[in-house]
Amino acid sequence: MDSVLLIYKGIYILAIFGISLLIATYSTYFERKIAAFIQDRVGPNRAGPMGLLQPLADAGKLFFKEEFIPAKANKTLFILGPGIAMLVAAMSSAVIPFGDTLIIGETSFDLIAIDVNIGILYIFGVVSLGVYGLMIGGWASNNKFSLLGAIRAASQNISYELAMGLSLIAVLMLSGSLSLKVIAEQQTGFNWNIWYQPLGFLIFLICAFAETNRTPFDLPESEAELIGGYHTEYSSMKLGMYLFAEYINIFVVSAVMATLYFGAYNFPFMENLRNAFDDPVLGNNVVTIIGVGVMFAKIFAFIFFFMWVRWTLPRFRYDQLMKLGWNILIPLAILNILLTGGGILLYEYFTKG
Amino acid sequence: MTESLFFFFASLTLLCAIMVVISKNPVFSVIFLILTFFTISAHYILLNAQFLAAVNIIVYAGAIMVLFLFVLMFINTGKNVEGTIKRNVLAKIAGTVAGGLLFTVVVAALKDVTLGHPDPATYESQVGMVENLGKVLFTKYMLPFQLVAVLFLVSMVGAVMIGKRETGEQNF
């Protein structure tokens, strides 16, 4: 790889890292604002105009709180837990295509950090590692409630990973590629995967809620039964890291859903817009820049949906959660695979034969 | 570059694997085992077998080790198990003999191994990519692949049968 591209990739990775942190920070603000809106309150409005500096104030508060480690806790693992949660959360945005290619001069720049041909498997692997942060932290606290929360988190994540993987297989059958870049390119214009995979998307959405431990599936930290779940014993910025990792996960899973089902950076009539310019390079760049905006609009829409659901629906009971995962979602996902396979066969029969 | 990376990952793998064995706390053993899987995946990537690397992480680090950790958390809640294990001389001798025998077997197996020397001119470097792997699995190795699928189905049915609630059993 020549040095310009290498430097570009370095800057791009840092930029994506920064953007995901920024979005996670402001998710906390919007979470509280949306909660306030739904409950007919004002919400944070003291720090800065419209309370816009609230996340900074929260972070400052968390940094200056007492760093508490329980006496009989395993210190190494207790500190390692939030670190793993944060690391794993920040890793997964690397393979998401946030835009098409920008052409500057002779070189074209892909707006994706690393284009591996196993992109979706990479995300799946990283997501499956996310549970270690919770388990190790919960166990190391040496607290029954933490341990119960950690065990709930682990069994919930394992259960819903299966249905998630099965619902992904149907998308992969359509696209024929594991690379998120290719999957995004196939959905040009308005040809989004959601039109072919409504059931698959529904399953994926439900699993995404469970994987990120959000309401109605936030059983690991259900405060009524478990005090605070796996982060009962955590204070200061270590608690902040756990909460922060959750918001980064929401951002990443929203980006994945936008990429897989809602056409990533593609928007209707993009080809018409591209052809409207006389200069193909300029047309490409304009479409790409609008595409990046569209991609982030889709991500924000999903993040809003996550918050909307959180403040609307009550929490599931634990046996209901397990029953939904194993008895309903997994058979539905298998049915979805069969339907997709049948659909592809019929399509090929009528178009080629 | 690749060679130095290989030696870096190889030494890291060995270090992590040794740490798995000598860690006093079983939870640390599990964490080092996960690290070992990561470094092995790094080897797969060096060999251009990206699919294998990803699946190794998903299946072993992401699923099986979670279950290991799960069980460990139930049986050992932070207490030091060091003092409870009795170390008598007979067990030590038996362990040494068994380990020595295993080592002999490994050495004997390695003695006769013939290293493949693929011709760089004709060798296809993309053979480990997911498309090529899929094609090989579904054409050349179709029957073994299907048999493995049947095996998995059998084990799944078995797991469901074991996990099934018995009548009159209290739950939740």
Side-chain angles (χ1 to χ4, degrees), chain A residues 18-29 55 243-249 251 303:
Chain A
I19 288 171
S20 38
L21 291 188
L22 187 74
I23 288 178
T25 312
Y26 270 89
S27 294
T28 60
Y29 168 73
L243 303 181
F244 210 60
E246 182 180 314
Y247 283 104
I248 298 179
N249 276 330
F251 166 67
I303 293 177

Side-chain angles (χ1 to χ4, degrees), chain A residues 185-207:
Chain A
E185 277 165 2
Q186 284 171 349
Q187 308 177 56
T188 45
F190 213 38
N191 188 27
W192 298 352
N193 274 342
I194 178 75
W195 312 127
Y196 310 106
Q197 287 293 327
L199 183 61
F201 170 68
L202 195 68
I203 296 166
F204 193 92
L205 185 71
I206 296 171
C207 294

Side-chain angles (χ1 to χ4, degrees), chain A residues 72 74 76-77 80 84 91 116-118 120-122 124-126 128-129 131-132 135-136 138-139 142 147 150-152 154-155 158 161 176-178 318-319 322-323, chain B residues 25 27-28 30-31 34 38 45 50-51 53-55 57-67 69-74 76-79 126 129-131 165 172:
Chain A
K72 286 200 167 177
N74 189 327
T76 323
L77 292 180
L80 199 64
I84 293 177
M91 264 166 72
V116 282
N117 64 358
I118 48 157
I120 193 69
L121 286 180
Y122 173 85
F124 206 62
V126 170
S128 66
L129 294 175
V131 67
Y132 283 115
M135 279 182 89
I136 288 170
W139 179 81
N142 196 21
L147 183 64
I151 282 162
R152 276 188 173 188
S155 46
I158 292 174
E161 243 162 50
S177 171
L178 289 168
Y318 198 68
D319 59 325
M322 282 297 157
K323 191 172 266 178
Chain B
N25 189 333
V27 175
F28 278 102
V30 169
I31 292 170
I34 296 162
F38 269 95
I45 290 174
Q50 300 176 350
F51 180 74
V55 168
I57 295 282
I58 295 173
V59 173
Y60 286 99
I64 293 179
M65 294 324 288
V66 173
L67 292 176
L69 209 54
F70 208 88
V71 174
L72 276 179
M73 284 178 178
F74 275 119
N76 168 32
T77 48
K79 272 175 243 125
Q126 303 298 307
M129 295 294 173
V130 57
E131 288 91 353
R165 282 173 191 162
F172 287 95

